DNA sequence: ATTCTCATGTAATTGGTTACATGATTGC
DNA sequence: GCAATCATGTAACCAATTACATGAGAAT
């Protein structure tokens, strides 16, 4: 069994596997990518980099830009091994905190109009996520028809996951709209039973 | 603006809107239902019930079963108003921690075989979730074809959300399988570029 | 007898965000 | 000159899980 990596350590080792980075750059990459399913903040990243260095998984080199202090971190051989070991274990963490779902779950006591509003609110959460992710896709300047095309054009699984994010949130938004529409057209008898 | 409810307070007020419950019963209901998108543990529930009672949103009545102490909590009028006020605000929290996605995101450095394994692992997470949710649906003894039918048969949005959980995870599992299959059948040239 | 369920609670630990503090460099 | 960006870090606070502690009643 390999040593336990903290949640933030997993994100750090992974981002460093692409190229060496400063803590600031790690945060920037996370915010443009994994943030949608694996967040990390400065308050976690900087202390964790120190711990990973003590454990010998990363190595820091001072690389000031002019008078601006800066440390660039890269994976050591042990770090690369730890990343590969973690990547090879079956995934364990899968947690969701979805306030829109919770509100629909508790919608029984609301009026029919409010119930449908809650459902559309939940859909709007997913539509906004789609727009945010599409914005990122547009920035990198391609427009794949599907995930495999995204991977083949870019050579990176990061774009495959971006596609997954877009498509799954589109599916969710459509589910909400489809269900809201079906509820609106239910029999007036059902509508009255408030 | 209404007073801020803690994450666990939202779950508590919501579950009590169906019927009065002990802390133990609140936990049991959460574990059978909202746990999949909004978890809560004893360490949060019991202290939060005390805080909600101090704030006047819930009311506890001692109701021992034999020599077994037990407090049954119910919503006060203020509690019902606070729940309705929260339900009427647009949802804010939407967070995901998805280790399977993170591993696929970092799969670039793996061999083609490992890459497809990671993708299938991610799909397995969703398949297991589908099975768990279908088990709950089977326990309550109906088999709806869609979410609106689930709502119409039971009269409760809790079953609509259960359907959403099943269908969204099915979609995700199928996306992974579809993508894994497409990757397997890519050109050998792409396969070799390890 | 023993195990399971019902029942309440707390302490230790972990994980996380937010806000703050500081300061240099770059571009307008 | 000013704002944005690059850059590092910490303190306060909030949220959450896990494990522990305790004990009664029910079922086998």
């Amino acid at each position: 069994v390999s040593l336990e990596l903290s949640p933030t350590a997993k994100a750090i080792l992974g981002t460093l596997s692409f190229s060496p980075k400063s803590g600031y750059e790690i945060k920037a990459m996370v915010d443009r990518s994994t943030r949608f399913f694996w967040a990390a903040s400065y308050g976690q990243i900087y202390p964790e980099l120190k711990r990973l260095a003590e454990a010998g998984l990363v190595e820091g080199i001072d690389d000031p830009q002019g008078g601006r202090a800066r440390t660039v971190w890269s994976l050591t051989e042990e770090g690369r091994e730890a990343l590969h070991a973690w990547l090879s274990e079956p995934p364990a963490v899968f947690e969701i905190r979805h306030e829109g779902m919770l509100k629909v779950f508790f919608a029984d006591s609301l009026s029919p109009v409010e119930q449908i509003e809650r459902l559309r609110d939940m859909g709007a959460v997913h539509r906004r996520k789609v727009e945010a992710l599409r914005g990122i896709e547009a920035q990198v300047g391609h427009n794949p028809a599907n995930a495999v095309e995204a991977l083949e054009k870019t050579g990176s699984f990061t774009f495959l996951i971006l596609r997954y994010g877009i498509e799954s949130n589109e599916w969710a938004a459509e589910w909400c709209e489809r269900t809201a529409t079906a509820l609106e057209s239910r029999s007036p008898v059902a509508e009255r039973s408030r």
Side-chain angles (χ1 to χ4, degrees), chain A:
Chain A
V1 182
S2 57
L3 81 163
E4 286 310 311
L5 297 176
S6 73
T8 301
K10 295 166 185 176
I12 290 174
L13 296 183
T15 57
L16 292 184
S17 76
F18 295 113
S19 66
K21 283 174 184 62
S22 67
Y24 185 87
E25 287 169 326
I26 291 169
K27 175 72 158 75
M29 180 173 184
V30 164
D31 280 350
R32 273 186 293 103
S33 55
T34 70
R35 165 166 77 94
F36 298 98
F37 53 92
W38 200 274
S41 61
Y42 288 130
Q44 295 287 117
I45 291 169
Y46 284 113
E48 188 62 34
L49 278 168
K50 283 194 180 168
R51 281 190 289 268
L52 289 170
E54 277 168 42
L57 303 189
V58 302
E59 200 176 24
I61 294 168
D62 278 353
D63 178 29
Q65 302 292 296
R68 181 150 65 184
R70 177 181 138 103
T71 307
V72 172
W73 303 89
S74 51
L75 292 183
T76 61
E77 193 45 44
E78 295 100 298
R80 234 165 247 289
E81 279 163 24
L83 176 63
H84 188 261
W86 166 68
L87 246 22
S88 302
E89 290 164 18
V93 180
F94 179 41
E95 282 153 27
I96 295 174
R97 269 276 195 222
H98 194 325
E99 201 173 15
M101 274 179 87
L102 193 65
K103 291 188 188 205
V104 175
F105 186 84
F106 292 138
D108 288 6
S109 62
L110 300 176
S111 71
V113 169
E114 287 175 310
Q115 290 172 340
I116 289 165
E117 278 172 6
R118 288 320 123 241
L119 205 43
R120 290 232 159 86
D121 284 351
M122 175 178 159
V125 167
H126 291 287
R127 265 204 318 281
R128 276 195 298 275
K129 195 97 345 182
V130 169
E131 275 155 38
L133 294 170
R134 269 214 251 263
I136 291 168
E137 201 176 55
Q139 270 174 37
V140 292
H142 39 75
N143 214 342
N146 57 61
V148 175
E149 197 185 293
L151 173 60
E152 267 160 8
K153 277 191 178 166
T154 62
S156 175
F157 277 82
T158 61
F159 294 97
L160 184 118
I161 285 295
L162 180 55
R163 267 278 109 195
Y164 173 80
I166 292 169
E167 293 173 23
S168 59
N169 280 288
E170 277 174 343
W171 184 91
E174 281 159 22
W175 187 94
C176 292
E177 186 48 43
R178 196 192 321 143
T179 306
T181 303
L183 288 191
E184 276 174 338
S185 56
R186 279 194 305 173
S187 71
V189 178
E191 295 269 334
R192 251 193 298 112
S193 72
R194 182 240 154 95

